[in-house]
Amino acid sequence: VKLVADLDLDVIAGVTTGFTGADIANLVNEAAIIATRRNGVAVSLDDFTAAIERIVAGLEKKSRVLNPEERRRVAYHEMGHALVASSLPGVDPILKVSIIPRGVGALGYTIQRPTEDRFLLAESDLKNRIAVLMGGRAAENLIFAGNVSTGAADDLQRATEIAFEMVTRHGMDEKVGQRAYAPAQRPFLPGIQADGVQAAETTAREIDVAVRDIITEAFHRATGTLQTRRDDLEKGVELLLTRETLTAEDFPAIRSNVARADERVTLVRPRPTVTVAPAE
Amino acid sequence: VKLVADLDLDVIAGVTTGFTGADIANLVNEAAIIATRRNGVAVSLDDFTAAIERIVAGLEKKSRVLNPEERRRVAYHEMGHALVASSLPGVDPILKVSIIPRGVGALGYTIQRPTEDRFLLAESDLKNRIAVLMGGRAAENLIFAGNVSTGAADDLQRATEIAFEMVTRHGMDEKVGQRAYAPAQRPFLPGIQADGVQAAETTAREIDVAVRDIITEAFHRATGTLQTRRDDLEKGVELLLTRETLTAEDFPAIRSNVARADERVTLVRPRPTVTVAPAE
Amino acid sequence: VKLVADLDLDVIAGVTTGFTGADIANLVNEAAIIATRRNGVAVSLDDFTAAIERIVAGLEKKSRVLNPEERRRVAYHEMGHALVASSLPGVDPILKVSIIPRGVGALGYTIQRPTEDRFLLAESDLKNRIAVLMGGRAAENLIFAGNVSTGAADDLQRATEIAFEMVTRHGMDEKVGQRAYAPAQRPFLPGIQADGVQAAETTAREIDVAVRDIITEAFHRATGTLQTRRDDLEKGVELLLTRETLTAEDFPAIRSNVARADERVTLVRPRPTVTVAPAE
Amino acid sequence: VKLVADLDLDVIAGVTTGFTGADIANLVNEAAIIATRRNGVAVSLDDFTAAIERIVAGLEKKSRVLNPEERRRVAYHEMGHALVASSLPGVDPILKVSIIPRGVGALGYTIQRPTEDRFLLAESDLKNRIAVLMGGRAAENLIFAGNVSTGAADDLQRATEIAFEMVTRHGMDEKVGQRAYAPAQRPFLPGIQADGVQAAETTAREIDVAVRDIITEAFHRATGTLQTRRDDLEKGVELLLTRETLTAEDFPAIRSNVARADERVTLVRPRPTVTVAPAE
Amino acid sequence: VKLVADLDLDVIAGVTTGFTGADIANLVNEAAIIATRRNGVAVSLDDFTAAIERIVAGLEKKSRVLNPEERRRVAYHEMGHALVASSLPGVDPILKVSIIPRGVGALGYTIQRPTEDRFLLAESDLKNRIAVLMGGRAAENLIFAGNVSTGAADDLQRATEIAFEMVTRHGMDEKVGQRAYAPAQRPFLPGIQADGVQAAETTAREIDVAVRDIITEAFHRATGTLQTRRDDLEKGVELLLTRETLTAEDFPAIRSNVARADERVTLVRPRPTVTVAPAE
Amino acid sequence: VKLVADLDLDVIAGVTTGFTGADIANLVNEAAIIATRRNGVAVSLDDFTAAIERIVAGLEKKSRVLNPEERRRVAYHEMGHALVASSLPGVDPILKVSIIPRGVGALGYTIQRPTEDRFLLAESDLKNRIAVLMGGRAAENLIFAGNVSTGAADDLQRATEIAFEMVTRHGMDEKVGQRAYAPAQRPFLPGIQADGVQAAETTAREIDVAVRDIITEAFHRATGTLQTRRDDLEKGVELLLTRETLTAEDFPAIRSNVARADERVTLVRPRPTVTVAPAE
C-alpha cells in the first residue's frame, strides 16, 4: 500500500481513536481498494476518509431516494448536530457532514474527529455531548415550527443512555444524590426499575425526572445556539443540499471552537421500515 | 403474462410499495389467474386490483352473511375511514372501499394507495394516520349516537401502537419529554410497564395519558371532519350498500386532497367468534 | 334416524348455532338414543331438547338433593336470568328454565336460543348480556333482602370477562379511553396488571373501576326490571318449584320481547365442594 | 362387626358427611378395634366417636404435657368456639369439645356435626362460620385482657380464606363490587396481588380492607356472644378442665340453637416448635 | 460414663429441652471427653455445661483477639441481654454469660435455661423475647451514647422474625388486623412483599410499620430496664471483663425473677469479615 | 528469599491483614522478583510495597497517558481521599498515594495500612469510612467548582454498599428502625426492592432516603475537612504531580491522626471505555 506524499497521519489517527489493530488493517485495506477503483497511484486522505465512512456508517445507498422535503429535513438535522458541536468547548471537531443515505437506516450523518484518548469526563463534557446529540432535533423543531420527525430516535436513545449514567452511576443529580444504583445484574430479579436500577418507586421517579431534565436543558442550549447562528444554519443547509457532503474546509462555520472530545459519528437512523411504516 | 394496452403501471407500483420481489411475482400470478377465470385475453388493472385485495385482505367470504343492521354499520365504518383519509394532507389516496367480508375476520375494508417510499415521518403525519384509523369508530359514534361496536378493535390496536411509539421513542409528548424508553428487550426482567417500557410508575402513567390524549385528539378531528361532511357520509354509505365496493371514480368524494402516504389497508376485523360470542 | 313429521328445524338450528359438524352428529345421536329409551317411533323436538341439555349442561344429577331453602333460592336465581333476558332488546329468547341439577356443579340452568350468527356487537348488546348474567344475583338480592349466595360465582366471572374486553379492547369507557391494552402474550413479562393488560398502576385502577361500574350499572338495571315484574318473578318461581322445568309455552312471561342474541346457557355453578365447604 | 342395639345411625351419618366409601370403611374398622380393646361385645356410638376423633384429629398425644396456664387457655379457646357455634343460626351442632392434645399440633379441638349436604351458602352462613372460627381468639381476648396467644393461627388462616373468597369470588363486598378477580392460574405472571388475584394496587388494597373488616365484624360478634354468655363460658371451662372432654349431654349450654351447617372440626394448632421456638 | 454424685440432672434437662436423642448422646460424649481432658474421675455439671457451649456456640476461638474497646463493648452487649432477661416475667433464667469468642462469628454469648416445653406463647411472652434480644443493642446505645455497633445484626434479624410472625400469622397488631397473610409458598409468584407475604402495597406498609413499632417498643423497655439497673450493668461488665464467663452464682443480679421460657442462646455474631470489611 | 536487615515486619503485617496464606506466599514471591529485577541483594520494604501495589491495584499501565487536566484532577481526587483519611479518628493510616495508572481501570490510588483485625465496627467507624470514600469527589467538587467527573463511580458504589448495610442490616437509621430487612436470597421472588431487600414501597423509599442522607452527610464532612486543609490539598497535589507517588514520609500532612481501621485501597476506577465513550 503506497500513501500519497502529503498524507496527514494525525487526522487519520484522530478518527481511528478506539480502533483495534484489526479495525485499522481493515481500514487500510478498504482505502487501498477505493484508491484502486479511482485508478489512483497512491492512497490519499480522501481514500481513507471514504473508507472510514464506509466502515462506520455503511455503504452508500443510492437506491434510498428521499423526497425533497425529507432531504431538506435531513440537511437541517445534520447541520444542527454540526453547528452545536462547533459551538461547545470540549467537543470533537467536525470531520464531515453528509446527507448521502448509508448503511441499514442512515439518511445522513455527521462525523466528528476525536483528538486524543479520554479517561475522565467532567459533568460539563457529558452535558455537551448530549447537547450535540440534541442538535438535530433542535434544528428540526426550529425550522419546522415544532413539527419534528422520526429522524431523532437514535439521538434520543443515546442522549438517554448518557443522562441515565450521569444520574445513577456518577451521582451528578443533586436530588437523586451521590450514590450508585445497582444495575440489573441478576437477570431474574424484580424490583428493578427505570432503565434497570433497583430503587423504590419514588426514587425511580426522581431518576426519570433527572434524566428528562438533563436532556431538556441540553435541548434548550442546542436551540439557543442554533437561534443565534440561524444564518450559518441556513447557509450550511443550502450548501449541503447542493454538494451533499461538507467538510470544515467547504464550510468554515462548522469548524470546532475547541479541540478535544471523542464522540465519533452521529447518524440519523430513522429505520423507517420498522418505525413509520408498520406492515399490516 | 400479457397486459392490456392502457394498464397504468404507476397505480400498481403505488399499491405494491413495500412488496418484495416474491410478493410481486405472486401478485402477477394471481392477476393472471383472475384474468383467465374471466376469460380475459390480457391482464387488466381490475385483475391486478382483485389480486391485490385477495392477497392483502384474504379471500371473499360469501358465507359470512351479516344482518342488515350490521352491514349498515360496516358501511358507515368504512366510509368513515375513507372520508377522513380524503380530508387530511399527507395521507395516501383511497383505492377502494368495500363491505364484502374477506379473510379471517374482515367484515369490510378500505385500501389506500401509497404514492412513494417514505423514510421520515413528521409528527403531523403520524397524527393524521391515527385520525384515519379512528375514522371508522368516529362514524359509528356519530351515526349510532354513541352506541359504538366491537368493529374497531384492530383500529384501536394500531392507533395505540403508533401513539406509543410517538411518545416513548420519538419524544413527541412534551410532558414525557424527549427521551427514549428502553423496550423490553430482555425477556425475563420486571419493572417493565406501559406496553413494555422501563419507567417509574408515575412516568408510566404520564406515558399512558399521553397515548390516550393523542388518540382522543385524533378521534375528535375525525369526528369534526365527518360532521362537516355528513352529506358525503350518507351518500357514500347509500352507494356502498348498493354496490358493495366503491372507487374514487364511483364516488369522487373519497378522492384524496393530498397525494402522499404509505398506509395501505384498514380492515375491520372484529373477530366475532372470539370477542363477541365467547363460547360457554 | 327418523324425525317426527312436525319437527321445527328452525328451533334446532337456532340452538345449535356455533355447533360444529361433529357437535351436530353427536346431538342427533343423543336425540335418537333418548327417543329409543322412551320407545318413540321417531325423534321429536323434545328428544332434541333433552339431548341438547345433556350435552350443554351435563347429565341430570338426581343424587344432588338440595334442601327446600336452597331449591327455592335456585328457582329465584334462574327466573331472574329469564325475566331480565325477556325484558331487554337484542337478547336471545328463552328456550327453557330448569332447577334440575346437572353436570359437574350446576344446580339449575336457563337455556337461551340464538336466532342468527352475530359478527358485530354494539356497546348496548354487551351491556344487556351483562344485565342478563346479573339477573340471577339481582333476584336473590331482592328476595333475600341482600343476603346473597355463592350461586352467582360463574355469572360474576363471565360478566367480568365481557366488561373487561369492553374497557381494554373496545375502548368503551370514556375515562380509560379509546385505546387497546396489550394482553399478556409474553408469558414471563411483568408489569402486567388488571386481568393481564400492561398499564401503569393508575391506569390499571381506572380499568378496574370501569369494569366494576359497568357491572354495577347492569346489576341495577336487572334489579329494576325484576322490581317492576315482581309478580312475574313470584309466579314463575312458584311454577318452577312445582314443575322443575319451564318453557315460554308453560310460562309466557319469559317470552322474549326481542328476537336476536347468541348467548346460550346460563348455568348456576356454585361448585359447592370447592367454594363453600373447604375440607379441613 | 356387630353394632349395639340402640346405635343412632343418624348421628354417625351426620358426622361422616363428605366421607368417601373408603373413609367410612376405615371408620368402621377403627371403631371395631376400639370396641375390641375395651372388650366390648358390640361397637357402640362411643366407639364410633372415638374412631372419628382419631381419624379427624389424629392420635391422642399423652406425652404433650401442657402447663396449667396453657391448659386453661386452651379450655377457654375451645369453649369459645363451642359457645359461639351454639349461638348462631345455620351452624352445625357441637358433637364434642376436648382439651386432649392430638395429632401433629392440636392442643384441643371442637367437633361439629354437619346435618346435611350443602350446595349453596348465603353471605350470612359464611359470616357465621367466620364468627365460629374467631370464637377461640375472642374467648382468649376476653379472659386474658387482650393478651392473646399463638393458638389461633389456624383459625385466622381459615377465616381469611373464607373472607377472601367472599370478596373476590362471590362479590359480597359492596366497595370491591360484584365482579370476579382472576386467581393466579398462570404460574409466572406478575401483577398478582392480595392472596393471588390480579388487580390494580388500589383495588388490591380495597380487597385487603374488605377481608379485614369481615373478620373484625365476626370477631366482635363472637366477643359479644361470649360477653353475654360469660357464665356459660366459665362453667364450661371449669367442667372441661375437670373432664377434658364434653358433649352437649355433659354441658347443655353448647347445644346448638339451629340445626344445619357442615363445618366439622375446629382444631387449635399452634405448631409451637415452628412458630414460637425458632431454633438458633 | 460415670457421673459425679451431686449432678443436678434437672439443670441439664432444662438446657437440653428440644434436643433429640442423638443430640443428647452427642452431649454426653462431649462431656465425657472434656472430663477426661481435665483428668476428672467423673463427669461433672461443669463438664456438661462446657459440652453444651461447645455444641451450641461452637469451639472457643482463642485466635480471635479483640481489642480492649471491642471487648468492653461485647461485655456490655452480653450483660444487656442478661439483665433484661432477668427482669422480665416468663423468660428463661440465665445459665451463663461469656465474652469468650466461639464458633464461626460469635464474639460473646449468653445462655438461657428453658425450664419446660412450651406449646402456646402469649403476646406478652413474644414481646418479652424481643426485649431480651434488644437488650444487647440497648446496652451499647446507653453506654456509647448512641454510637451502636455491627454486633447486633443477628439480634435484629431474630427480633424481626418474631415480630413479623406476630403481625402476619397471629393477628397481634390491631391495624393490620386478625387475619393471616399467605407466605410465599409458590416460588415464582410476584406480588409478594414485606418478608414474603402477599398483600397490597398499603397493607405491606402497615405490616412494616407494625413490625418496626413492636421492636421499637421492646427496645425502649430494654433501655428502661438497663437505665434502672445501671449499677448492675456496670458491676456485671467489670466482673465479666475480669472473669470472661459468669453464672448466676458468680453474679446474682442476673438471676431470673421468673422461671419459665425456652429461649436458649443469644449470640453476638457480627461476622465482621463480611459486614464491615468488604474486600475490594 | 533473603530480607534486608532493618525490614519493619509490622508494616507488612498491617498491610496484609486479611491475606490468606496463599496471598502472602504470592506476595513474598512477587517481592523477590522485584528485588531481583533491581539487582538487590535482599528483599527490602520497598520491594514488598511494590509487590503489594502490583497485587492489589494491578500492573502499572504506562500506555495509559492522561492529558494534563485529567492528571491534575486525579491528583486532587487521590489527595482528597488521603487528607480526609488523615483527619478522622479510627481510620487506617495512609501508606501511599499515587497517580500512576494501574490495572484494568485505575487512574490513581491511595493505599491505607490496617493496623489490626477488627471484629466490631461502630456507627461512627462506618460513617468515617464513607467520608474517606467521598474525599475524592469532595476534592473535585471543591476545586472544579462543582464540575465533578466520572472518576468517583467506584467510590460511590462502595459508599452505597456500606450505607445500605448500615440501614437494612444494622438498624442504624432511626426512621427505618432497628429491624433487619431480608436480602434477596431466593433468586426468583419479586417484591424485592432497594438493592435487594423485601419491603413495602414506602419503606423501600425510606431506605433509599436514609442511604442518601448518610452519604450526603459524609460528603459534607469530607468537604469541610478539605476546605479547612485547603493549603495541604494544594501542596499535596503539587508534590504528587511532580513525584507521582507520595508516602507520609514525603508529605507528613497525610500522616494519620488516629491509628486503627482496616480499609485498604481506594482506587479511582472510571473505566472510561465503558462509561464515558460508549462505542457507536
Side-chain angles (χ1 to χ4, degrees), chain C residues 183-256:
Chain C
Q185 293 162 328
R186 292 161 297 188
F188 295 90
L189 280 189
I192 296 158
Q193 290 179 293
D195 282 64
V197 297
Q198 299 185 334
E201 158 58 25
T202 314
T203 311
R205 172 63 179 172
E206 284 180 356
I207 292 170
D208 273 356
V209 167
V211 166
R212 185 185 302 185
D213 287 354
I214 286 172
I215 297 175
T216 300
E217 186 272 345
F219 173 76
H220 287 322
R221 268 200 301 139
T223 299
T225 297
L226 295 176
Q227 280 172 324
T228 308
R229 300 184 64 185
R230 180 72 182 255
D231 281 356
D232 286 341
L233 181 62
E234 299 293 359
K235 279 177 204 155
V237 164
E238 198 175 339
L239 219 56
L240 194 53
L241 286 170
T242 312
R243 301 195 193 172
E244 292 205 301
T245 296
L246 294 179
T247 64
E249 285 186 24
D250 301 322
F251 184 55
I254 59 175
R255 183 150 303 170
S256 205

Side-chain angles (χ1 to χ4, degrees), chain B residues 67 276-278, chain C residues 11 13-18 81-97 110-118 121 124-125 128-130 132-133 158 248 253-266:
Chain B
N67 69 43
V276 303
Chain C
V11 171
V15 181
T16 57
T17 299
H81 285 312
L83 289 177
V84 172
S86 74
S87 306
L88 293 173
V91 172
D92 287 330
I94 301 297
L95 186 67
K96 199 178 216 177
V97 181
T110 302
I111 301 188
Q112 289 175 272
R113 192 180 69 189
T115 53
E116 63 175 343
D117 283 320
R118 290 295 303 273
L121 286 173
S124 57
D125 294 330
N128 285 344
R129 288 187 179 200
I130 296 173
V132 173
L133 286 167
R158 293 170 65 193
I254 59 175
R255 183 150 303 170
S256 205
N257 303 339
V258 193
R260 185 169 33 80
D262 61 355
E263 187 77 16
R264 254 164 240 115
V265 180
T266 309

Side-chain angles (χ1 to χ4, degrees), chain E residues 65-80:
Chain E
V65 183
L66 282 69
N67 70 43
E69 195 184 334
E70 285 176 338
R71 207 165 159 269
R72 190 167 153 257
R73 189 183 277 273
V74 171
Y76 276 106
H77 186 107
E78 294 305 323
M79 193 49 64

Side-chain angles (χ1 to χ4, degrees), chain C residues 64-65 67 69-70 73-74 107 134 137 146-151 153 156-157 160 187-192 195-196 201 204-205 208 211-212 215 219 270 272 275-277 280, chain D residues 116-124 126 129 158 165 169-172 175-182 186 188-191 198-203 206 260 262 265 267 269:
Chain C
R64 194 177 293 154
V65 184
N67 68 43
E69 195 184 335
E70 286 176 338
R73 190 182 276 271
V74 172
L107 304 177
M134 297 307 285
R137 164 63 60 103
N147 191 21
V148 296
S149 80
T150 53
L156 299 186
Q157 179 65 41
T160 301
F188 295 90
L189 280 189
I192 296 158
D195 282 64
E201 158 58 25
R205 172 63 179 172
D208 273 356
V211 166
R212 185 185 302 185
I215 297 175
F219 173 76
T275 309
V276 303
E280 168 63 13
Chain D
E116 63 176 343
D117 283 319
R118 290 296 301 272
F119 297 99
L120 281 178
L121 285 173
E123 192 177 321
S124 57
L126 296 166
R129 288 188 178 200
R158 293 170 65 194
E165 287 270 307
R169 187 145 176 258
H170 299 303
M172 289 176 178
K175 203 166 185 189
V176 174
Q178 298 189 105
R179 60 163 281 199
Y181 288 85
R186 291 161 299 188
F188 295 90
L189 280 190
Q198 299 185 335
E201 158 58 25
T202 314
T203 311
E206 283 180 356
R260 186 171 29 83
D262 63 355
V265 180
L267 297 171
R269 284 191 173 158

Side-chain angles (χ1 to χ4, degrees), chain A residues 246-261:
Chain A
L246 294 178
T247 64
E249 285 186 24
D250 301 322
F251 184 54
I254 59 175
R255 182 150 307 175
S256 204
N257 302 339
V258 193
R260 186 169 33 81

